[in-house]
Amino acid sequence: MTGHRFPADHSKRLSDDSRRKVQPAEDIVRRMSPRPSEVVADLGCGTGYITIPLAPLVTKVYAIDAQQAMLDRLAEHVPDGYGGKIVTVLAELPPLPLTDSSIDRAILVNVVHEVDDLPLLHSELQRCLRAGGRLSIVDFPRRETSFGPPLEERLSEEQVIEAFPSFHKDRGWSFSEFYQLELILRP
Ligand SMILES: C[S@@+](CC[C@H](N)C(=O)[O-])C[C@H]1O[C@@H](n2cnc3c(N)ncnc32)[C@H](O)[C@@H]1O
């Protein structure tokens, strides 16, 4: 692991008011511009801070996390009427527990700094994404912010882009507390 793993016994912090104020989930999802036909993998989904607002806008979300306690909390909060759009999967990433060319988008929200083997994650994304697939990444800049992992565990936007060389940057946003990158798989 490059850094620590966010502990499940602190999972309430993933959706508390201070996070909602600084990093509103609906704004992150809107910047992703999801399409209704998309099948998405939310890698390191935690308690579903992004999975839950994203699911009604797409066809299906695989909500994947290494900690069962996170998936249990997510399942508790799925609103009625989501019609099985969210499929939870317990897995340590990478590899990805998905078949070849089975997803249109992968998302990593406040997760990329926790993943050990970025080269393997990169090749797994190439395998699982369909042509023109998208990779949406949100993470912390390498400077002090009001919350987030220790500075030495963080990856800058440039380091993230370098870690996924088969993708090109479509759009990006830098905020005081986090950045968001929208990358597209090169043909
Ligand atoms: C800081 S939390 C973010 C959760 C969620 N994406 C959000 O924005 O609220 C990081 C999550 O990634 C998961 N995680 C970290 N490394 C992982 C790995 N290698 N495989 C699967 N899940 C991982 C952790 O269990 C934790 O739930």
Side-chain angles (χ1 to χ4, degrees):
M1 209 184 304
T2 48
H4 73 296
R5 173 152 305 167
F6 191 91
D9 55 359
H10 291 177
S11 66
K12 286 199 171 128
R13 280 180 17 209
L14 293 177
S15 54
D16 68 11
D17 287 346
S18 60
R19 181 179 185 194
R20 289 192 183 283
K21 192 168 165 197
V22 167
Q23 208 177 56
E26 290 70 20
D27 292 351
I28 290 173
V29 169
R30 183 175 36 75
R31 284 188 291 270
M32 289 176 187
S33 302
R35 284 164 292 192
S37 60
E38 283 185 18
V39 175
V40 182
D42 185 357
L43 307 177
C45 60
T47 58
Y49 185 70
I50 298 298
T51 310
I52 291 174
L54 178 61
L57 307 177
V58 298
T59 295
K60 185 189 276 193
V61 183
Y62 291 105
I64 305 171
D65 204 283
Q67 300 186 77
Q68 184 62 49
M70 294 289 195
L71 299 178
D72 291 346
R73 281 191 62 94
L74 187 159
E76 284 166 18
H77 292 104
V78 175
D80 291 341
Y82 270 44
K85 281 191 164 196
I86 299 175
V87 178
T88 58
V89 183
L90 179 67
E92 177 78 33
L93 311 169
L96 302 186
L98 299 166
T99 55
D100 296 0
S101 303
S102 58
I103 55 171
D104 302 289
R105 181 191 300 266
I107 69 178
L108 291 151
V109 177
N110 298 354
V111 173
V112 80
H113 65 272
E114 293 191 24
V115 175
D116 256 349
D117 192 342
L118 289 176
L120 181 56
L121 177 61
H122 174 246
S123 61
E124 281 290 272
L125 289 167
Q126 289 178 285
R127 180 180 68 77
C128 297
L129 280 164
R130 296 183 181 130
R134 291 177 171 268
L135 176 58
S136 304
I137 295 181
V138 171
D139 222 292
F140 301 94
R142 297 201 74 171
R143 56 181 151 70
E144 290 297 340
T145 50
S146 66
F147 69 103
L151 287 187
E152 65 275 13
E153 294 178 9
R154 303 182 184 199
L155 297 169
S156 67
E157 292 179 54
E158 294 73 23
Q159 287 173 309
V160 167
I161 290 168
E162 274 174 29
F164 298 102
S166 299
F167 293 78
H168 74 263
K169 180 176 167 184
D170 180 33
R171 286 170 300 155
W173 299 264
S174 294
F175 301 105
S176 57
E177 298 278 332
F178 68 96
Y179 58 84
Q180 179 165 352
L181 292 170
E182 294 297 313
L183 309 180
I184 300 181
L185 188 61
R186 294 180 198 278

